[in-house]
Amino acid sequence: MKSSIKKIIALCVCAFAANSVLSQETQPRQIDLPYGNFGVNYLSDNIAKAQNGLYEKTGFNFFFDYYATLLSNPYGGASQATTYNHIMIYGLTADMQKILGWKGAKFVVSGAYNAGGNLSDSIGNFFTASEASVATGAMFYEMYLAQTVNLPWNDTFKVRLGRMSMGDTFCSLPAFGYLVSGGIDANPEALFANSPFTASTIATWGITAQYNTIENLSFAAGLYQVPPNINSSGWDGTNFTINSDDGYMMLFQATWSPALFGKDSGLSGVYQIGGYFYGGYEVQEFNSAGSRGNAYGFYIQGQQTVWVNENNSDNYVAVWAGAQYAPVASVQQMTWMAYAGLQFQGFVPYRPNDGIYVSWLGGWFSKDYSDSQPDGASCENVVEVTYVVQLNENVSIQPDFQYIMQPYGNSNIDDAIVIGTQLLVSF
């Protein structure tokens, strides 16, 4: 047995060494699909030219993001299904310095359109199988003014005012955007269950302030409006009024972005610690007829590059991990959420821009919520493996596999397997 283990370890070491050599010698040369990635490169080049041309002439830059997923659960869950859904986000950024001579100012306005089904409705699980499963229909999204001030001692101060989503500034790591599961893409899902946290494609009135130091530290605070109907199916973002019965959400976050062993090592990291408090409206308690007018929570998370190929900076390994705590069990559905993952970038021969992501996330439901359910609710865990095929800097396709354990913390529902693919287009 010991001899077999040694042989396996030796083979793994040889495979890793061979891949490193390949990364150094051949991997920087990208091999596209036929006909310029089936015309994707031609399309991207022309859109980029149009964007640059519009900006140079007018100071406006248009943007467009499209996420589409096709997922199926062939086994497990409350029932099996196949679903398709997508999100489109589109808008304009105005460089106010170029247009009006207003130094350091930008104005952003955007809209969104969402459609399709939610596979998790069939599976019966908590952590949404697709990040594109959000409110459906057309909606007005963000509209805000951002002002950046460069201070004499080289720190910067940034203020944003207008209609914004909280997820733009708070509780997100770079790796989250490459996952298919909505469990942590692009913000951990426990935040949405435990508070009126908003992310694409929902925005409300708010103000944020962010202070960035030259010592890789950043401090952010935000105050946001929370209308009573923010989570309703009829939300379209067009009601701009502020009413006396609206609630509020406050968030605070400190971020440290170090470069271990020097800025030229490539071992960059992002570490965040934050908290939130919301109030101003009553929330029905899970296990009683009463209600509560406020609640709060905390989170800590980080992402760190741990290895970089010294001959190819696009070939690296990164890790991430985090946890969230929501102590008010009577109104907060998930007391604890934890997550961790690995990113293997540039390890596929002749595909230096492709990445492989392995993630785990788990959520432990609050006692009050569990007691309110007929079958109780303990914890749900999800393991995801996804491979991002980066056709070019604007378009990617990613096959995806998810294994969902004990959906919604219910041991009476079989573990579920989810397979599918996601298309991401971003300009």
Side-chain angles (χ1 to χ4, degrees):
M1 176 65 72
K2 291 182 178 179
S3 176
S4 298
I5 293 174
K6 288 180 179 179
K7 289 180 179 178
I8 292 172
I9 293 174
L11 287 172
C12 291
V13 171
C14 290
F16 181 83
N19 188 79
S20 297
V21 171
L22 182 62
S23 299
Q24 295 173 18
E25 296 179 355
T26 62
Q27 211 163 304
R29 184 168 64 89
Q30 171 86 15
I31 293 184
D32 292 338
L33 296 175
Y35 306 106
N37 284 329
F38 297 117
V40 170
N41 292 349
Y42 177 81
L43 179 64
S44 295
D45 290 343
N46 281 275
I47 292 177
K49 289 178 182 178
Q51 285 178 310
N52 293 334
L54 179 65
Y55 177 75
E56 291 300 324
K57 292 179 180 178
T58 67
F60 289 95
N61 183 53
F62 68 85
F63 57 88
F64 175 82
D65 293 320
Y66 177 75
Y67 305 80
T69 60
L70 177 64
L71 298 176
S72 177
N73 68 308
Y75 172 83
S79 62
Q80 288 74 54
T82 298
T83 60
Y84 166 83
N85 52 27
H86 69 246
I87 302 176
M88 290 187 290
I89 301 174
Y90 41 85
L92 286 171
T93 298
D95 185 336
M96 305 304 288
Q97 181 170 348
K98 189 175 182 65
I99 298 171
L100 298 176
W102 184 350
K103 187 176 181 180
K106 290 186 178 181
F107 182 76
V108 177
V109 61
S110 65
Y113 180 77
N114 311 322
N118 184 354
L119 184 61
S120 289
D121 290 341
S122 298
I123 297 173
N125 70 307
F126 175 83
F127 292 117
T128 312
S130 168
E131 62 163 319
S133 296
V134 294
T136 59
M139 61 189 67
F140 187 90
Y141 183 29
E142 293 187 308
M143 180 180 65
Y144 63 86
L145 178 68
Q147 175 67 60
T148 301
V149 179
N150 295 317
L151 301 174
W153 49 92
N154 295 324
D155 291 356
T156 60
F157 183 71
K158 182 178 181 179
V159 177
R160 297 196 308 163
L161 176 65
R163 293 184 70 82
M164 304 172 291
S165 74
M166 305 172 196
D168 286 351
T169 303
F170 298 96
C171 200
S172 186
L173 294 175
F176 290 177
Y178 291 97
L179 301 174
V180 174
S181 167
I184 50 174
D185 187 346
N187 311 94
E189 198 160 355
L191 267 175
F192 301 91
N194 295 329
S195 72
F197 189 83
T198 61
S200 58
T201 55
I202 296 177
T204 61
W205 293 113
I207 181 171
T208 66
Q210 186 170 342
Y211 187 88
N212 302 308
T213 76
I214 59 172
E215 301 300 328
N216 301 316
L217 287 172
S218 174
F219 304 93
L223 175 64
Y224 298 85
Q225 171 205 26
V226 180
N229 67 331
I230 194 170
N231 293 315
S232 70
S233 58
W235 177 269
D236 61 10
T238 58
N239 185 352
F240 293 167
T241 59
I242 299 176
N243 300 309
S244 59
D245 61 344
D246 289 343
Y248 62 89
M249 177 86 159
M250 296 187 295
L251 296 106
F252 307 91
Q253 178 175 286
T255 302
W256 180 43
S257 304
L260 301 184
F261 308 111
K263 64 180 181 179
D264 296 327
S265 68
L267 299 178
S268 60
V270 180
Y271 298 88
Q272 298 174 343
I273 183 169
Y276 60 86
F277 179 91
Y278 70 87
Y281 65 99
E282 296 295 314
V283 179
Q284 178 68 45
E285 294 183 314
F286 294 125
N287 211 23
S288 74
S291 61
R292 182 185 172 100
N294 59 72
Y296 58 95
F298 309 95
Y299 61 88
I300 183 170
Q301 60 189 24
Q303 177 175 331
Q304 178 66 54
T305 302
V306 295
W307 177 84
V308 178
N309 186 333
E310 62 181 11
N311 297 303
N312 176 15
S313 61
D314 292 328
N315 181 208
Y316 60 88
V317 178
V319 300
W320 71 86
Q324 299 197 14
Y325 176 55
V328 187
S330 63
V331 294
Q332 293 182 303
Q333 189 173 351
M334 183 165 281
T335 301
W336 283 99
M337 180 181 176
Y339 36 93
L342 292 164
Q343 176 188 1
F344 300 94
Q345 190 69 32
F347 278 86
V348 177
Y350 303 105
R351 301 291 307 174
N353 299 316
D354 292 0
I356 299 172
Y357 296 78
V358 181
S359 74
W360 162 82
L361 56 92
W364 290 262
F365 296 95
S366 71
K367 184 180 184 303
D368 285 21
Y369 175 76
S370 179
D371 291 344
S372 70
Q373 302 303 301
D375 298 316
S378 55
C379 67
E380 176 178 310
N381 290 271
V382 180
V383 174
E384 179 179 7
V385 180
T386 190
Y387 170 39
V388 180
V389 183
Q390 199 73 48
L391 299 183
N392 60 30
E393 63 180 2
N394 304 112
V395 182
S396 65
I397 299 174
Q398 57 187 113
D400 187 71
F401 171 86
Q402 299 175 42
Y403 187 78
I404 301 170
M405 291 165 271
Q406 203 164 275
Y408 238 110
N410 188 341
S411 59
N412 296 321
I413 302 178
D414 290 338
D415 294 353
I417 291 175
V418 175
I419 56 174
T421 187
Q422 176 172 265
L423 169 68
L424 170 59
V425 180
S426 181
F427 289 95

